[in-house]
Amino acid sequence: MRHVTLSAGEIEYDETGSGPPVVLLHGLLMDHTLWDEVLPLLPEGFRYVRPVLPLGAHRLPMRPGADLGMAGMGRLLAEFLEELDLTGVTLVHTDWGGGLFLTALGLHERLARQVILPCEAFDNFPPGLPGRTVSLVSRIPGGLALAARQLRVRALRNSPFMLGPMSKRPLPDALVRGWTEPLLREAGCGATSPRTARRRSTRRGWSGTRRRCATSPARRWCCGRPRTSSCRSPTASGWPPCSRRAATRRSRTRASWPWSISRRRWPGSWAPS
């Protein structure tokens, strides 16, 4: 793994290939390995960059006081692109929708195009029953560690309250153990451990972001700001055929976006309905 130092702390990332950059984002309590089985299927001639964002499965703690709310995470992502001097970026969103806020923050100048896979967006913060469950447990001391332990039990993680509605096929045990290991390792640290304190900061930032988005819909905040009108990056929104209800609901909301989004259906893909 490579490292880059940002104002919020040190970020790990992986990259492979050469050519125009494609940045592959991951979701909450996940890391870059989300793309391990997909990466060999992607076309050659691109530089694939996979950052490990501080969303719960990161191994390196952020600095005390780092802004890990939605806006802060957007700035962190923009700083990551700047530090690696990535231009003409294709940004691929999945599960975590915080990267969409780059446009609202006026930090999208390095983006050439965006691919939006099923993820939290518009007023869908937090997304569905799993999102609301994690939003709740993130406010309870030790709640995220408990959720991480439950994710390691296949029957529990496939339930409607966890990853069941979000995956077409059961996730491998080894993959989920890798995602949850950093969080559970921190849970075993002493109460005064600096690393534990920083983990609690992550929990507070994530929980606070979800509460703000719940009271003020993210769609209104993201799309209502004037600076979004300057974003002209071609954007493709991918929805699977099985997710007709979600696709119809989002298509009505997309009409309010200040830039054009092409909608594509990908046979064989999956998303919660």
Side-chain angles (χ1 to χ4, degrees):
M1 295 290 289
R2 307 187 182 195
H3 302 78
V4 60
T5 301
L6 308 179
S7 57
E10 195 171 7
I11 296 292
E12 292 183 301
Y13 70 97
D14 171 80
E15 70 171 67
T16 183
S18 61
V22 178
V23 177
L24 305 171
L25 303 179
H26 59 81
L28 180 72
L29 295 179
M30 304 174 190
D31 62 16
H32 67 293
T33 58
L34 173 70
W35 297 97
D36 278 357
E37 294 189 14
V38 177
L39 201 57
L41 306 177
L42 298 179
E44 297 180 355
F46 293 91
R47 177 186 177 187
Y48 295 103
V49 181
R50 300 182 293 166
V52 180
L53 301 174
L55 292 173
H58 55 295
R59 296 178 294 181
L60 303 178
M62 297 294 100
R63 294 192 176 98
D67 182 2
L68 300 177
M70 192 64 74
M73 289 291 292
R75 286 188 284 268
L76 182 148
L77 178 58
E79 188 179 353
F80 174 80
L81 301 180
E82 181 179 359
E83 286 296 320
L84 267 62
D85 195 25
L86 301 178
T87 58
V89 173
T90 297
L91 191 62
V92 183
H93 311 261
T94 182
D95 186 57
W96 178 65
L100 298 171
F101 284 80
L102 288 179
T103 56
L105 296 168
L107 299 174
H108 53 269
E109 64 275 1
R110 292 181 176 269
L111 303 185
R113 58 193 60 84
Q114 301 188 73
V115 177
I116 304 175
L117 303 177
C119 65
E120 52 186 355
F122 307 113
D123 55 352
N124 191 28
F125 280 85
L129 184 56
R132 290 192 293 271
T133 300
V134 179
S135 181
L136 176 63
V137 301
S138 68
R139 304 172 192 177
I140 304 172
L144 285 177
L146 175 61
R149 291 188 180 94
Q150 293 176 334
L151 280 173
R152 291 189 169 193
V153 181
R154 181 175 298 186
L156 292 177
R157 73 168 174 262
N158 291 333
S159 71
F161 295 95
M162 304 194 83
L163 300 182
M166 301 171 63
S167 57
K168 185 176 183 179
R169 290 179 291 273
L171 298 175
D173 290 339
L175 181 67
V176 177
R177 289 189 69 86
W179 292 348
T180 55
E181 179 63 28
L183 186 59
L184 293 179
R185 186 174 64 247
E186 295 302 324
C189 293
T192 59
S193 166
R195 294 169 67 88
T196 301
R198 296 173 197 182
R199 183 69 66 181
R200 288 173 179 169
S201 176
T202 300
R203 174 175 59 83
R204 289 195 301 270
W206 191 86
S207 177
T209 295
R210 290 311 187 269
R211 286 197 297 272
R212 288 192 296 273
C213 288
T215 56
S216 178
R219 177 184 62 82
R220 189 183 311 157
W221 188 84
C222 183
C223 298
R225 299 182 62 156
R227 279 181 291 183
T228 58
S229 62
S230 65
C231 180
R232 292 292 181 265
S233 303
T235 302
S237 175
W239 292 96
C242 62
S243 187
R244 293 187 180 88
R245 184 174 62 182
T248 301
R249 184 171 63 248
R250 298 293 176 255
S251 65
R252 291 195 296 266
T253 312
R254 278 197 304 269
S256 65
W257 279 48
W259 65 90
S260 176
I261 297 182
S262 62
R263 172 181 163 188
R264 302 179 183 180
R265 290 184 178 273
W266 291 325
S269 58
W270 170 262
S273 59

